[in-house]
Amino acid sequence: MSAHCQLTGAKPGFGNRISHSHRRTSRRFDPNIQRKRYWLPSEGRHVRLTLSARAIKTVDAIGIEAAVARIRARGVNV
């Protein structure tokens, strides 16, 4: 599964692990990505979205119709 959020565009960040001796090695900070299914009343079907945990809370606040409109405005097919 891709570690990208369809709504917010959240994607992995990169940085360094720093050991006790202060040696640095690469690491990756992944967003908390979940696959969630929503009912889209205007189209009479379910849509399966790949969302971060923060985006799921945003969908709860603004509604699925507005969220799908934002996703489509970003150029992502739903």
Side-chain angles (χ1 to χ4, degrees):
M1 179 187 338
S2 174
H4 289 72
C5 176
Q6 290 180 312
L7 180 60
T8 63
K11 58 188 178 189
F14 296 88
N16 290 308
R17 279 191 181 88
I18 302 181
S19 69
H20 182 68
S21 64
H22 219 65
R23 290 183 60 125
R24 292 161 190 246
T25 55
S26 293
R27 66 160 294 174
R28 181 172 145 155
F29 296 91
D30 285 327
N32 185 4
I33 297 293
Q34 311 290 325
R35 283 181 57 89
K36 193 144 169 63
R37 196 176 99 156
Y38 290 98
W39 173 252
L40 197 57
S42 63
E43 297 181 16
R45 68 183 183 106
H46 285 96
V47 291
R48 189 176 300 277
L49 301 175
T50 304
L51 301 172
S52 63
R54 187 180 73 194
I56 291 172
K57 294 174 190 174
T58 302
V59 171
D60 290 344
I62 67 173
I64 187 62
E65 297 289 342
V68 168
R70 284 189 193 179
I71 291 170
R72 288 182 173 148
R74 293 184 71 239
V76 178
N77 287 335
V78 176

